[in-house]
Amino acid sequence: MTPDKKRLRIGILFGGRSGEHEVSLASAASIIRGLDPDKYEPVPIGISKEGHWLIGAGAQKLLPEVLRQGQRVMMNADPTDAAMVRLDGSGGGQRLDVIFPVIHGTFGEDGTIQGLLDLAGLPYVGAGVLGSAIGMDKDVAKKLLQFADIPVVPWVTVQRHEWESNQEAVQTRIEEKFAYPVFIKPATLGSSVGMTKVHDREELAPALNLACEFATKILVEKAVTAREIEVSVLGNNDPQASIPGEIVPHREFYDYAAKYLEEGTQLLIPAELKPAQIKKIQTLAVAAFKALELSGMARVDFFLEKKGSKLYLNEVNTIPGFTSISMYPKLWEASGISFRDLLDRLVDLALEQHAEKARTKYQIELPEGITGALG
């Protein structure tokens, strides 16, 4: 806590080496605007597309400006002196009380940043290393969800090296499993980056090649004619689910352009569902949150078949969007939690989780005069 104003200094970590870099900037800007200025001092910390860490200097608060002209820094991972240290050696390190990671996708949502923050002993918003890594890897997440009896869309996993070494065998395996159409997407990305709906054999190879540009592991999923239902989850040991909402894309499916570049997609909050369907979706969302070892927050996405009403869990997002159109805060607002109160709760959950971790022993005391291998 900063002693002069008694405000928590919140490091807003944004940008990153990810296909979702631009989305991250929009989310971070919303969070900075939404934080209560009487409680928090937001410190924008940008990571460029090249991986440089930069911090806003003085009144430099516009996020693109931070990335262009900010002070180069690095995170000191010493838990006794965790701070943002200037690379040019000028001045002391800038201490932070809590980190709010808003880096969607690779090197931010996948456990890498979380591991660094754990080494530094800093509280941070959202899932830890394990939950973040699982949530990012849709193949591993699906396997765990299946084990927990949570229905998922049928899929085939393709390793990049498999596709590049024997395309015919991969194509045969896919076509033996599914009829067209299918969805092809990187297993470790979000925001529909690198995703394609494949209608026939002619479209398969280009779609796999595209996905292979973004990941070493690719998912091929059965195409389900379904409504897209999303629900927000908030909490640590006792997570709660929001009311569900529905995405109605103006394109054939909810791709990157439909999400962020074009208008026309409808967000229906609340979704038109029967009470039993709402309860089932909320129950499965919380069960998935626990099964995947998540904490703090997650947005859980479902497919609800238009014919037959079968429900599938599509994926979880451990660092959901916080932009002006993002479902995670909108669903909580519709459930009675304002954006500012939501940010308060997320910071409180980060501090709660950090305090719980601090109770864990990481060392043992050896008795005096020991003998044997350690003597």
Side-chain angles (χ1 to χ4, degrees), residues 141-155 221 224 280-281 283-285 287-288 300-305 309-316:
K142 280 176 175 283
K143 291 172 182 174
L144 287 172
L145 291 169
Q146 273 193 330
F147 186 77
D149 293 324
I150 297 171
V152 296
V153 177
W155 85 103
E221 294 182 329
V224 178
K280 184 176 182 180
I281 288 167
T283 299
L284 287 176
V300 186
D301 302 346
F302 292 88
F303 289 140
L304 179 61
E305 282 186 338
S309 298
K310 188 171 182 180
L311 187 67
Y312 299 97
L313 195 151
N314 178 30
E315 64 181 45
V316 301

Side-chain angles (χ1 to χ4, degrees), residues 31-175:
I31 290 169
I32 290 171
R33 288 193 300 268
L35 286 168
D36 187 340
D38 293 329
K39 295 180 181 179
Y40 310 110
E41 177 191 349
V43 179
I45 305 165
I47 300 180
S48 71
K49 291 184 178 181
E50 296 73 34
H52 303 313
W53 289 49
L54 305 115
I55 196 166
Q60 191 179 61
K61 297 296 183 184
L62 293 177
L63 302 191
E65 185 181 340
V66 172
L67 287 170
R68 286 194 302 268
Q69 302 178 13
Q71 175 73 50
R72 287 280 301 277
V73 294
M74 65 176 290
M75 169 65 73
N76 181 356
D78 182 345
T80 65
D81 189 30
M84 301 304 301
V85 180
R86 295 182 181 181
L87 286 184
D88 62 7
S90 62
Q94 182 162 10
R95 297 181 180 276
L96 301 162
D97 297 305
V98 181
I99 299 291
F100 201 132
V102 204
I103 300 178
H104 308 300
T106 315
F107 304 121
E109 197 173 352
D110 56 4
T112 50
I113 287 292
Q114 291 75 14
L116 175 59
L117 297 175
D118 278 339
L119 285 173
L122 282 171
Y124 55 89
V125 171
V129 174
L130 179 61
S132 297
I134 293 171
M136 176 57 64
D137 191 317
K138 298 175 181 65
D139 175 52
V140 173
K142 280 176 175 283
K143 291 172 182 174
L144 287 172
L145 291 169
Q146 273 193 330
F147 186 77
D149 293 324
I150 297 171
V152 296
V153 177
W155 85 103
V156 168
T157 304
V158 176
Q159 301 291 340
R160 183 164 64 190
H161 71 86
E162 291 181 296
W163 170 244
E164 293 176 345
S165 62
N166 195 339
Q167 295 191 3
E168 186 175 340
V170 170
Q171 180 174 285
T172 299
R173 179 154 59 96
I174 292 170
E175 292 180 336

Side-chain angles (χ1 to χ4, degrees), residues 10-35 42-48 53 63 67 98-114 117 123-127 132 136 191 260 297 299 317-324 326 328-329 339 343 346-347:
I10 308 290
I12 311 297
L13 199 56
F14 68 94
R17 293 187 290 152
S18 165
E20 300 171 79
H21 179 97
E22 286 74 18
V23 182
S24 174
L25 268 69
S27 289
S30 293
I31 290 169
I32 290 171
R33 288 193 300 268
L35 286 168
V43 179
I45 305 165
I47 300 180
S48 71
W53 289 49
L63 302 191
L67 287 170
V98 181
I99 299 291
F100 201 132
V102 204
I103 300 178
H104 308 300
T106 315
F107 304 121
E109 197 173 352
D110 56 4
T112 50
I113 287 292
Q114 291 75 14
L117 297 175
Y124 55 89
V125 171
S132 297
M136 176 57 64
S191 290
Y260 303 113
M297 62 181 176
R299 195 192 71 240
N317 290 267
T318 57
I319 301 183
F322 280 84
T323 71
S324 59
S326 294
Y328 186 82
F339 189 64
L343 297 179
L346 288 169
V347 171

Side-chain angles (χ1 to χ4, degrees), residues 165-194:
S165 62
N166 195 339
Q167 295 191 3
E168 186 175 340
V170 170
Q171 180 174 285
T172 299
R173 179 154 59 96
I174 292 170
E175 292 180 336
E176 286 178 348
K177 178 77 172 180
F178 302 123
Y180 292 105
V182 296
F183 278 100
I184 309 287
K185 59 187 176 184
T188 52
L189 265 184
S191 290
S192 302
V193 172

Side-chain angles (χ1 to χ4, degrees), residues 258-300:
K259 287 180 181 180
Y260 303 113
L261 305 180
E262 302 171 348
E263 296 181 355
T265 294
Q266 293 180 282
L267 308 181
L268 304 181
I269 303 174
E272 187 175 335
L273 297 165
K274 298 175 182 176
Q277 291 175 315
I278 294 173
K279 184 176 181 180
K280 184 176 182 180
I281 288 167
Q282 291 173 327
T283 299
L284 287 176
V286 169
F289 192 89
K290 293 178 178 179
L292 301 183
E293 299 277 347
L294 305 186
S295 57
M297 62 181 176
R299 195 192 71 240
V300 186

